[in-house]
Amino acid sequence: MYNRKGRHKMDRATLEDYPYIVAEIKDLKEEINIMLGGSMLTDIVTGSSPEHPYTQHPVMISGVEDSEELYKFQQRLAHLEELKRQIEDFVDHLPNLKTRRIVEAKAFKGMRWQEIADKFGVTEYSAKHVYNRIWRK
């Protein structure tokens, strides 16, 4: 989703959900790994040599049993990873370094306004103003 200037459209709530998105991605990956590790299926089938004398021999195959729950987790993970990429792309394309750093500190690291002000040597009001300016149309 892009606006008229070719930049990603982003809303404040989505940007501020970034830490929760990252945490949920981590949790989903762990859950998917558990599901994949516990549901390995194996079977033996018969195969033959590709050349004459075409001798038959057993071949062991293995894989993961598909489940609707696993599919839902994988779809959710893909959606969240795309959302995370869009947020990071939005921040990467902010107009200047000062704005990017303040937005990263607030949205990505969850820093309080006073911490941001102290870190960047600005007033709390100034940090809030820079952050709020990105939402003006």
Side-chain angles (χ1 to χ4, degrees), residues 16 24 26 43 76 102 137:
E16 292 175 356
E24 188 168 350
K26 180 180 178 274
D43 198 1
R76 179 80 178 141
I102 288 173
K137 304 252 181 210

Side-chain angles (χ1 to χ4, degrees), residues 4 6 89:
R4 280 183 265 174
D89 189 53

Side-chain angles (χ1 to χ4, degrees), residues 39-97:
S39 62
M40 187 66 80
L41 301 175
T42 58
D43 198 1
I44 297 177
V45 297
T46 302
S48 66
S49 302
E51 299 170 0
H52 189 356
Y54 309 112
T55 310
Q56 284 191 339
H57 59 277
V59 177
M60 181 182 254
I61 59 172
S62 61
V64 177
E65 183 176 12
D66 285 336
S67 75
E68 194 164 323
E69 184 180 27
L70 176 61
Y71 177 76
K72 285 179 183 178
F73 279 29
Q74 289 170 329
Q75 292 300 309
R76 179 80 178 141
L77 177 61
H79 169 73
L80 289 170
E81 285 177 333
E82 174 60 20
L83 190 55
K84 179 179 178 272
R85 188 199 60 74
Q86 288 177 6
I87 293 169
E88 290 168 350
D89 189 53
F90 171 78
V91 172
D92 286 345
H93 289 89
L94 287 172
N96 59 58
L97 184 58

Side-chain angles (χ1 to χ4, degrees), residues 91-92 94-104 120 130:
V91 172
D92 286 345
L94 287 172
N96 59 58
L97 184 58
K98 179 180 180 181
T99 302
R100 275 193 301 276
R101 295 207 55 206
I102 288 173
V103 170
E104 286 172 350
F120 298 115
V130 167

